[in-house]
Amino acid sequence: MKKLLLVVFIFAATIFMGQQITVIGPWSGAEKDAFTPVLEKFEEQTGIKVQYQIYRAEDLANLLPAQFSTKRTPGDVIFMWTSFMKSNPEHIVNLSDLIKPENFRPGALDNVTVDGEIIGIPYTGKVKPGFWYRKSFFEEHSLTEPETWDEFVALLEEISGIEGITAPIASGNGVGWPLSDVTEHFILTYGGAELQKDLIAGNVNWTGETAKKPMNKLASLLSEGYFGEPVEWTTVLEQWWQGQYGLYFMGQWLTGMVDDPSDLGVLALPGNEAVVFALDYAFIPKYSKNVDAAKQLIEFLAGPEGQTAQVEQGGHIASANGVSLDAYPPVDKEIAELLEGKATVNDLDDSIGGMWQATFWDQLKLLWVRPGRLDSVLESLQSNMP
Amino acid sequence: MELRKAHIRNFVVFVLPALFLLAVFVLYPTFSTLFMSFVGPEGELTLQNYQSVFASGDIINFKNIQQGQFPFGTLVHNALWIAIHLPLTTFLGLFLAALLRDVKGGAIIKSVIFLGMVMPLVVGGIMIRFMFDGNIGIVNLFLKTFGFPTQTWTAYPETSLLALIFGSVWLWTGFSMIIYSAGLETIPKTYYEAAEIDGASKLRIFFSITIPMLKPITVVVVTMTLLWELKIFDIVYVATMGGPGGSSNVLALQMYLYGFRAWDFSKAAVVAVLITGLTIFAAIPLIRSAGEENVQ
Amino acid sequence: MRKKRLAGNILKNSLGWIIALVWILPIAGIFMTAIRPYSEVINGWWQFEEFNPTFSNFTGALFHESSPLLQGMINSLYIAFPATIIPLILATMAGYGIARYRFPFRKTFIITVVMTLALPQQMIAVPIFQIMSSLGLVDSFWGLILVHTAWGIPWTTFFMRNYFKTLPVTMEEAAKIDGASDSQIFFRVVLPNAFPAIASAAALQFTWVWSDFFLALILIYSPSKLLATQRIPLMRGQYQVDWGLLSAASITVMIVPIMIYILLQRYYVRGMVGWTIK
């Protein structure tokens, strides 16, 4: 009798435990609130309860190796840098039988494929489309979107002359990613998606001619003073909105940070045919206590159902096929449509990661105030490549 | 004084717990790091970690030194820090201690100056970043008043380290001032009285009596300040993260970047050993006097 | 002669106060920026056309969505108290032990203790991280408290030992003659007289632990566990923050050590001076 009770107890306990998993993500506040409905939908469907835990990727980079080495994990599904996943495949559950490349945008799975095996899923992401401007600002000063490089420079010159303008293009400071985002835009426009991919893979030298071309163009604008001095990126956003700057390169999350998104316009560098589509990726650590339930969640998040639920909240673009354009709110719909004609690539520094990323950000801060040192900057970037 | 003979019991109760913690969490890690710096990727004993660290230019960047442009290398940056900060804070501290002795409300003024020492260095870093900001920093306010151009000092390679150094003078001067204040009190009034009777000028008294009597204290001030300058981390991390382009990087931050960003523990160990070697060298006077005290 | 003296005095006093005013400017600046909405000070906190003091920066920092400073302060207190009390107990006993008793390798111990004063934390960082990993204490408060305790022991031991050397042995010898045991001597006779030194050491150690950043940086990661000092650089780079919030956060974190300094000033200063001047 006692034994039976014990078995029933254990059985019930496993069922009870089996019904709860933890997902770890970097989002907090409003962003986290946008993720909750997706988890709720999953719970409705499967009955599996999901708890959300926040950790920044940098902190996970410190914490996970320590935990993994003692065969523990803080979560069952973890959102993390792909560079981390790629260097730790031995701790990660293989998902090749669940996740198929044909169900996603081309290239979405590149960063989570190691030796042909798929170890992570692409979730939704944000696009970094180009330089944002206030439509009202352009109308007021009769400015138009440029079609060629020369027209672009002329536009910058014209904006410089407007009263109250500190500089035509605002430069965001902080950790460093705002500068790297706009740099990648130059790389993509004048080197194409191929150059970005080659740089990530380390196939192309930073000091070589192909990489120098876009960097020279960037440096030329910096030397002319068309970029402002780097200021904290949220402060300069406010200043740009108030008319101290004309253009501000930013990701699509900008739409959620301004008072009047309908006043927003975005222009890419003339000739641009590829944009960074910064996807969030997730994986399942081998040490999860409930791999099956985690697999169910990850399938959901990677599939059209979960991703539709996410994009409906606004501010996200799906990586999975089968998500209808109508699921997007109007502002995001425009961006999703914009995406249709262009190639998408991964974020350069996120893909390489580690100390190179910190070096990249630091070197760009130097380049911004001393564009004459482009050569030594490129050398530093090259010598620090992993 | 006569020391009592110790029973094992005394030792175990009084000293052992502290000794144990010290051994496990301070001594063992120290030697472990020292050892780590000499171990190569296959586990063999080698000097290659030292070679690669010194060749990387992170410690000394000969090329940049020749060209006269920052970054010069973390070791050079720390050396610069010492060269500027040490004399400034020592002299300022002495000057302020002497000045404020007879000033009304001098104690309050001393407290104000000492506030820089009391605040966490992380906050100190924020204050420095704030002081030198292009829009809202007071340093730029002064410069603007006198017609000089203004900029955010910490954003430019030529000035970011200097901004940190000068800011740190503002933070640390309180220390030398307080120590000198206490020291000045210990000089017997009779010395001054005798000198005044002899007709010596105030200045003469200062240089012939005060300064020599303060020598032991000066040794302490200089030693502690040196140690602080060699170990500086928090301020740089918060204000510039070593940038731009490594222009304000320091040894301690470089160690952190090697160890906890690049995850290269061997290189991190090399830098740690380098810093320790320098600090132990700087602390020789302190160590010697501690040793001497027992010869009684 | 008197006139010269008077002029000299006035000069000295003015100079002193001018220096004080200039010296306090940065703190005044950050204070101004903290109590005014950021939009007012965007071009300099010395502009006073609009002046609407407010607590919003403080509440914004304390209850910030991504990294509430209040939580950080509580965490820091949680660490600082044990990390002050425990080393103080252990080091006082050890300091007394070295000051009064003769045992083998005593001199080596003292020299080792002084050498560790020179050690940078960087020297123990990696092995400590590894030790804590294997003990499962990474990202745990007690792991950090343990390290702080160990790190605080050398200087506190040295400090207390120096203090005990200034206490005359006569009282202890008298007690011994009366038949008191060693621990009785320590607890009944010596400790009560050690109060000033203990207060000084406590003030310094507490401030030191509160202000620590590096050890927390390498050992604490969970967002909910981050200490107050860790949240400040986060506000600088990561989250949507402006100088108003950052200033308010800085002042809030500064307040604790400043309060200790104000309340325990005598001991605090003695602490700094006491163990450097023998």
Side-chain angles (χ1 to χ4, degrees):
Chain A
M1 182 59 189
K2 261 201 207 157
K3 241 195 202 166
L4 183 61
L5 225 52
L6 189 64
V7 169
V8 169
F9 180 71
I10 293 178
F11 190 63
T14 27
I15 301 254
F16 183 68
M17 273 191 332
Q19 299 292 62
Q20 161 132 335
I21 53 174
T22 304
V23 64
I24 291 185
W27 313 297
S28 64
E31 283 191 302
K32 175 192 135 233
D33 292 335
F35 187 50
T36 317
V38 182
L39 296 178
E40 283 171 358
K41 189 125 186 247
F42 176 73
E43 283 179 22
E44 260 175 51
Q45 271 193 4
T46 62
I48 302 177
K49 288 204 147 307
V50 186
Q51 209 201 357
Y52 175 80
Q53 179 76 271
I54 177 184
Y55 276 95
R56 290 184 314 149
E58 298 90 278
D59 297 328
L60 284 177
N62 287 324
L63 186 62
L64 290 181
Q67 295 241 328
F68 285 172
S69 61
T70 54
K71 301 216 177 352
R72 286 180 307 180
T73 172
D76 303 289
V77 173
I78 303 182
F79 280 86
M80 186 52 176
W81 296 325
T82 53
S83 56
F84 179 84
M85 294 188 221
K86 274 180 153 165
S87 15
N88 292 283
E90 65 273 21
H91 300 292
I92 299 181
V93 172
N94 193 321
L95 297 170
S96 301
D97 44 345
L98 285 181
I99 306 289
K100 306 289 174 200
E102 54 267 22
N103 292 330
F104 298 91
R105 269 181 209 280
L109 285 174
D110 287 351
N111 275 1
V112 285
T113 309
V114 175
D115 294 331
E117 300 296 322
I118 298 176
I119 58 172
I121 58 144
Y123 187 50
T124 55
K126 317 257 181 160
V127 178
K128 307 185 194 188
F131 296 91
W132 298 83
Y133 58 91
R134 292 191 72 170
K135 288 195 190 134
S136 53
F137 179 82
F138 265 41
E139 268 165 37
E140 199 188 319
H141 302 285
S142 313
L143 303 168
T144 52
E145 293 197 12
E147 309 269 310
T148 69
W149 171 256
D150 291 324
E151 280 178 30
F152 182 69
V153 179
L155 173 67
L156 297 180
E157 191 58 42
E158 219 184 310
I159 299 181
S160 310
I162 297 178
E163 203 190 308
I165 285 282
T166 312
I169 311 178
S171 306
N173 201 357
V175 191
W177 56 261
L179 298 184
S180 75
D181 282 351
V182 63
T183 305
E184 286 173 44
H185 188 64
F186 275 79
I187 292 178
L188 285 169
T189 309
Y190 297 105
E194 284 315 305
L195 178 58
Q196 177 104 332
K197 288 189 192 159
D198 280 332
L199 284 171
I200 292 176
N203 296 336
V204 163
N205 210 304
W206 280 95
T207 51
E209 282 314 307
T210 357
K212 266 200 169 175
K213 179 153 172 254
M215 297 305 287
N216 272 327
K217 281 212 143 42
L218 172 61
S220 71
L221 292 185
L222 287 167
S223 309
E224 293 292 320
Y226 289 130
F227 279 91
E229 192 187 84
V231 175
E232 257 70 21
W233 75 275
T234 49
T235 301
V236 86
L237 192 151
E238 186 62 37
Q239 293 175 330
W240 160 78
W241 190 252
Q242 286 176 8
Q244 287 185 37
Y245 300 91
L247 304 174
Y248 190 27
F249 190 94
M250 203 25 75
Q252 76 181 94
W253 53 83
L254 182 69
T255 58
M257 292 175 72
V258 296
D259 298 325
D260 184 11
S262 64
D263 194 19
L264 285 177
V266 56
L267 62 89
L269 278 175
N272 173 269
E273 277 167 21
V275 284
V276 171
F277 183 24
L279 284 169
D280 289 315
Y281 289 88
F283 70 93
I284 303 178
K286 280 191 177 145
Y287 317 109
S288 157
K289 297 252 177 351
N290 203 329
V291 177
D292 288 320
K295 277 186 172 175
Q296 284 189 53
L297 176 60
I298 240 183
E299 252 186 308
F300 180 76
L301 291 174
E305 240 193 303
Q307 298 207 356
T308 304
Q310 182 67 78
V311 304
E312 277 168 356
Q313 306 299 319
H316 290 246
I317 308 275
S319 64
N321 294 337
V323 176
S324 134
L325 273 177
D326 294 317
Y328 293 94
V331 188
D332 301 300
K333 191 161 171 207
E334 275 180 48
I335 300 183
E337 280 164 350
L338 200 146
L339 215 50
E340 299 281 314
K342 304 204 179 183
T344 58
V345 292
N346 294 301
D347 186 274
L348 180 71
D349 47 276
D350 281 345
S351 304
I352 303 181
M355 185 139 162
W356 189 87
Q357 183 178 43
T359 310
F360 187 51
W361 288 339
D362 193 37
Q363 288 296 321
L364 285 181
K365 286 186 196 177
L366 176 61
L367 183 66
W368 238 253
V369 295
R370 290 282 171 266
R373 290 175 57 168
L374 177 62
D375 286 328
S376 74
V377 165
L378 291 176
E379 270 167 36
S380 299
L381 290 180
Q382 185 55 41
S383 60
N384 273 286
M385 283 295 282
Chain B
M1 77 184 62
E2 270 293 312
L3 292 166
R4 309 204 274 278
K5 179 120 202 289
H7 299 281
I8 299 285
R9 195 186 55 225
N10 300 119
F11 178 74
V12 167
V13 167
F14 284 102
V15 177
L16 195 59
L19 185 59
F20 174 73
L21 283 179
L22 188 67
V24 171
F25 291 103
V26 179
L27 294 178
Y28 165 71
T30 302
F31 288 110
S32 175
T33 304
L34 181 61
F35 183 66
M36 218 188 292
S37 69
F38 290 109
V39 172
E42 320 281 303
E44 77 282 20
L45 274 181
T46 166
L47 277 180
Q48 73 178 55
N49 296 321
Y50 283 86
Q51 285 171 331
S52 75
V53 167
F54 278 91
S56 69
D58 290 326
I59 304 293
I60 308 186
N61 192 324
F62 289 108
K63 196 163 88 137
N64 278 351
I65 295 178
Q66 266 183 327
Q67 295 181 320
Q69 69 183 14
F70 274 96
F72 296 135
T74 50
L75 181 60
V76 181
H77 292 171
N78 279 91
L80 263 173
W81 206 303
I82 295 175
I84 300 179
H85 180 268
L86 182 60
L88 270 178
T89 54
T90 311
F91 288 122
L92 254 183
L94 177 57
F95 171 72
L96 288 171
L99 175 71
L100 297 175
R101 230 181 355 166
D102 317 308
V103 168
K104 267 214 171 64
I108 300 180
I109 304 181
K110 282 194 212 168
S111 292
V112 162
I113 298 179
F114 194 65
L115 277 182
M117 281 297 294
V118 176
M119 65 175 74
L121 287 176
V122 163
V123 174
I126 295 284
M127 300 234 38
I128 296 180
R129 173 75 187 74
F130 183 74
M131 273 194 255
F132 286 97
D133 186 86
N135 292 320
I136 53 175
I138 51 156
V139 171
N140 284 309
L141 176 64
F142 276 126
L143 293 176
K144 228 190 321 191
T145 326
F146 294 113
F148 290 112
T150 66
Q151 63 182 37
T152 297
W153 288 45
T154 48
Y156 293 83
E158 303 80 21
T159 51
S160 69
L161 185 66
L162 291 174
L164 296 184
I165 296 179
F166 285 116
S168 73
V169 169
W170 178 80
L171 288 174
W172 184 260
T173 300
F175 174 75
S176 65
M177 180 194 69
I178 286 285
I179 306 281
Y180 275 127
S181 279
L184 285 175
E185 301 298 312
T186 66
I187 303 181
K189 285 244 163 56
T190 48
Y191 285 36
Y192 291 125
E193 286 164 8
E196 265 175 53
I197 290 175
D198 280 348
S201 69
K202 276 255 152 89
L203 213 59
R204 182 89 200 287
I205 294 179
F206 192 72
F207 280 101
S208 310
I209 298 181
T210 316
I211 296 206
M213 292 238 46
L214 288 177
K215 203 170 93 136
I217 294 195
T218 304
V219 168
V220 166
V221 169
V222 166
T223 307
M224 298 307 298
T225 309
L226 264 179
L227 291 180
W228 191 77
E229 290 152 350
L230 286 168
K231 300 192 214 175
I232 204 108
F233 176 82
D234 303 19
I235 294 181
V236 185
Y237 185 99
V238 168
T240 61
M241 199 61 181
S247 314
S248 59
N249 205 0
V250 288
L251 288 167
L253 183 57
Q254 185 61 62
M255 181 271 172
Y256 172 76
L257 291 175
Y258 277 151
F260 295 90
R261 287 291 156 99
W263 297 99
D264 189 336
F265 288 154
S266 314
K267 280 168 121 177
V270 168
V271 181
V273 169
L274 178 59
I275 303 178
T276 305
L278 294 170
T279 54
I280 299 246
F281 182 71
I284 287 179
L286 209 63
I287 298 174
R288 251 197 298 176
S289 61
E292 272 166 29
E293 209 154 290
N294 298 310
V295 186
Q296 274 169 2
Chain C
M1 187 57 182
R2 271 199 72 188
K3 262 211 186 136
K4 228 174 152 191
R5 266 275 192 85
L6 194 61
N9 257 351
I10 295 182
L11 192 62
K12 259 200 212 166
N13 275 278
S14 332
L15 189 56
W17 280 97
I18 291 176
I19 292 182
L21 247 49
V22 170
W23 210 274
I24 208 175
L25 269 179
I27 301 187
I30 225 167
F31 182 70
M32 276 289 132
T33 311
I35 61 172
R36 297 165 70 181
Y38 186 50
S39 45
E40 265 180 35
V41 298
I42 221 169
N43 288 315
W45 57 265
W46 47 88
Q47 319 272 26
F48 278 103
E49 291 107 38
E50 259 191 72
F51 188 68
N52 302 308
T54 166
F55 274 121
S56 61
N57 285 325
F58 285 94
T59 47
L62 284 171
F63 304 109
H64 195 267
E65 256 187 320
S66 315
S67 190
L69 192 60
L70 186 60
Q71 193 179 43
M73 307 268 290
I74 295 176
N75 292 342
S76 288
L77 284 175
Y78 190 88
I79 301 270
F81 278 109
T84 302
I85 298 173
I86 302 177
L88 228 58
I89 295 176
L90 296 180
T92 305
M93 298 203 294
Y96 177 73
I98 327 179
R100 291 290 191 252
Y101 293 104
R102 210 176 6 141
F103 49 83
F105 298 116
R106 200 173 126 265
K107 193 162 173 190
T108 322
F109 183 61
I110 297 181
I111 299 211
T112 310
V113 161
V114 177
M115 277 192 157
T116 54
L117 292 183
L119 271 188
Q121 284 177 320
Q122 281 74 25
M123 196 61 183
I124 63 165
V126 170
I128 286 285
F129 180 69
Q130 291 172 331
I131 295 177
M132 290 301 161
S133 285
S134 52
L135 288 177
L137 285 176
V138 164
D139 202 32
S140 90
F141 283 155
W142 278 98
L144 185 59
I145 292 176
L146 201 54
V147 180
H148 271 301
T149 301
W151 190 253
I153 280 182
W155 85 262
T156 317
T157 305
F158 188 61
F159 180 73
M160 296 306 294
R161 172 255 192 189
N162 286 347
Y163 177 77
F164 284 128
K165 279 218 167 292
T166 69
L167 275 188
V169 207
T170 45
M171 278 198 305
E172 295 163 57
E173 284 176 352
K176 188 124 195 163
I177 293 175
D178 282 347
S181 73
D182 286 320
S183 31
Q184 277 177 326
I185 298 179
F186 180 69
F187 285 104
R188 302 265 187 84
V189 178
V190 178
L191 262 195
N193 285 308
F195 178 71
I198 294 182
S200 301
L204 286 183
Q205 174 72 357
F206 190 91
T207 304
W208 205 90
V209 175
W210 176 271
S211 307
D212 166 69
F213 175 63
F214 183 71
L215 289 179
L217 185 65
I218 62 172
L219 288 178
I220 303 284
Y221 304 110
S222 298
S224 55
K225 293 194 189 151
L226 292 179
L227 304 190
T229 41
Q230 286 175 289
R231 299 190 187 237
I232 302 239
L234 276 190
M235 294 178 134
R236 175 122 153 65
Q238 207 71 15
Y239 302 122
Q240 238 171 297
V241 165
D242 55 46
W243 276 107
L245 284 182
L246 200 49
S247 309
S250 301
I251 292 192
T252 313
V253 175
M254 262 205 280
I255 288 282
V256 170
I258 289 185
M259 287 271 95
I260 293 185
Y261 172 64
I262 292 179
L263 294 172
L264 297 176
Q265 182 166 23
R266 210 173 18 147
Y267 299 111
Y268 194 105
V269 174
R270 205 80 258 327
M272 294 232 107
V273 170
W275 61 267
T276 52
I277 300 181
K278 271 138 222 122

